[in-house]
Amino acid sequence: MTAFFQSFGLPYSGAWFLSTIIGILIIALPLMLAVAMIIYADRKIWAAMALRRGPNVVGPFGLLQSFADGAKVFLQETIIPSAANRGLFLIAPIITFTVALMAWAVIPFQAEVVLSNINVGLLYILAISSLGVYGVVIAGWASNSKYPFFSAMRASAQMISYEVSIGFVLISVVLWAGSFNLSAIVESQRGYYGFINGNGFNPLLFPMSVVFLISSMAETARAPFDLTEAESELVAGYQTEYSSMAFALYWLGEYANVILMCALNAILFWGGYLPPFDWAPLYFVPGIIWLFIKILLFFFIFSWVKATVPRYRYDQLMRLGWKVFLPLSLFWVVLVSGFLMFTRYGGAS
């Protein structure tokens, strides 16, 4: 795209800047539309699980319900508690929303279609996902209220607990693929057993795909790990004092993170933009369609779990992270690295 704008006489710096802005908008605007529709899908799935209809009034089949909700919160007044730290209170949801969008810069939608194809894309994702908790922590502290503050402490402890096991899971994938680049990780998943694509079909990596799926639910504070928003204990958690668009930014950021984690599950373990079978006719379908289908499948799993599994107690949440996932993922790093050493690299020599 940079070369295209240069053909109109723009200097390289101007053409690069313009092409980058257009690339960001091409990702961000459809993502915001996807978030609106994924909220609708979430509510429909919960309703089906509970034998209810769900949104069905605003627009055909209720498709415009999310837009009606968005208009409602946009027109509401933003109320700032008198004892709150005004600056931090307002900037916290902006941090959460912005960080949720930044991570999409390195997601490969199909071969050679990625905004920033950097060699350390996986490290970038890990760093960005770690920053997301700052919006929650700042909101809890700046609200100057008891329940949001408790929620902020829970969020920070929960993020630390599951980031560690996610890190070890990612190390297993990086060792197998030999790269931190997300496109290279996807390409390394071609042709398992000669006909199937995806690390999830590898007996050594399948257990890590399950750990990553559960950890990604905890990382995004989705049920049954939504201890930061436990209404029976914390009213609404860190969002308790928020209203209007500040509250909406948290919702948008949360669902953008959920879609991101669904995309990462697809990219790291289930072939990303590759078709499920390494069969030539399937490659005529654009890679972005395959990725989209896999994201929807994982989102259905997220919603299914939220609708059916009761919330964990906090001690259960911590025990699962530190006493189950951490030693399991650490052991798997040793197992994968040992296997690769004695097979791919010809033994200890």
Side-chain angles (χ1 to χ4, degrees):
M1 192 180 292
T2 302
F4 173 76
F5 287 117
Q6 281 184 292
S7 66
F8 290 98
L10 281 175
Y12 175 80
S13 57
W16 176 86
F17 178 78
L18 192 57
S19 62
T20 302
I21 293 297
I22 291 173
I24 291 171
L25 292 177
I26 288 174
I27 293 174
L29 296 181
L31 181 61
M32 291 300 96
L33 178 63
V35 166
M37 298 316 297
I38 217 80
I39 293 173
Y40 165 81
D42 215 8
R43 296 172 68 179
K44 276 291 191 182
I45 292 169
W46 300 343
M49 295 284 181
L51 301 180
R52 296 184 288 105
R53 289 186 180 274
N56 65 340
V57 175
V58 185
F61 307 106
L63 285 168
L64 300 180
Q65 183 65 55
S66 294
F67 300 100
D69 293 340
K72 179 180 71 175
V73 296
F74 181 76
L75 295 173
Q76 286 177 341
E77 178 186 1
T78 300
I79 299 172
I80 302 176
S82 57
N85 185 313
R86 186 183 182 90
L88 292 177
F89 185 84
L90 290 175
I91 203 173
I94 297 173
I95 292 174
T96 298
F97 177 70
T98 305
V99 167
L101 293 183
M102 288 169 60
W104 285 89
V106 297
I107 296 295
F109 295 96
Q110 60 184 52
E112 305 301 326
V113 180
V114 55
L115 181 62
S116 181
N117 193 25
I118 58 177
N119 289 331
V120 289
L122 202 53
L123 289 180
Y124 174 85
I125 290 283
L126 194 60
I128 290 297
S129 64
S130 300
L131 291 176
V133 75
Y134 282 100
V136 175
V137 172
I138 291 172
W141 185 85
S143 295
N144 198 21
S145 180
K146 177 171 62 176
Y147 293 121
F149 185 68
F150 288 160
S151 174
M153 290 193 293
R154 283 186 173 189
S156 58
Q158 185 168 329
M159 184 276 294
I160 293 169
S161 301
Y162 286 87
E163 280 283 333
V164 176
S165 56
I166 283 178
F168 285 124
V169 170
L170 297 184
I171 289 174
S172 299
V173 175
V174 168
L175 287 171
W176 194 270
S179 175
F180 281 97
N181 181 279
L182 289 175
S183 296
I185 289 173
V186 172
E187 292 297 329
S188 72
Q189 299 178 52
R190 289 181 184 269
Y192 274 97
Y193 314 114
F195 70 98
I196 202 164
N197 298 323
N199 283 331
F201 299 104
N202 182 338
L204 266 180
L205 295 179
F206 175 74
M208 291 297 94
S209 71
V210 176
V211 171
F212 187 81
L213 176 62
I214 298 172
S215 296
S216 59
M217 292 180 189
E219 184 72 9
T220 53
R222 291 279 292 186
F225 306 107
D226 55 339
L227 273 300
T228 58
E229 305 168 27
E231 69 280 350
S232 59
E233 306 164 28
L234 302 176
V235 186
Y238 60 90
Q239 309 175 95
T240 300
E241 305 294 344
Y242 281 89
S243 60
S244 186
M245 280 307 292
F247 176 79
L249 285 178
Y250 274 118
W251 267 84
L252 290 171
E254 177 182 336
Y255 275 90
N257 275 326
V258 169
I259 299 174
L260 174 69
M261 284 299 174
C262 292
L264 284 177
N265 273 281
I267 288 168
L268 296 175
F269 293 101
W270 302 102
Y273 54 76
L274 299 176
F277 298 101
D278 194 18
W279 185 43
L282 294 179
Y283 287 96
F284 287 108
V285 179
I288 192 170
I289 301 297
W290 290 118
L291 179 62
F292 184 64
I293 290 171
K294 293 171 185 177
I295 289 173
L296 288 181
L297 176 62
F298 278 106
F299 185 78
F300 175 77
I301 294 172
F302 272 57
S303 294
W304 183 7
V305 170
K306 182 167 185 174
T308 56
V309 180
R311 181 182 293 128
Y312 271 39
R313 293 196 317 267
Y314 197 71
D315 62 300
Q316 293 173 327
L317 177 80
M318 290 292 107
R319 183 168 64 246
L320 180 65
W322 289 109
K323 293 186 176 181
V324 179
F325 284 177
L326 175 59
L328 179 63
S329 57
L330 182 58
F331 168 74
W332 230 260
V333 169
V334 177
L335 184 64
V336 170
S337 59
F339 177 82
L340 291 175
M341 180 62 71
F342 285 101
T343 57
R344 186 179 299 177
Y345 304 112
S349 60

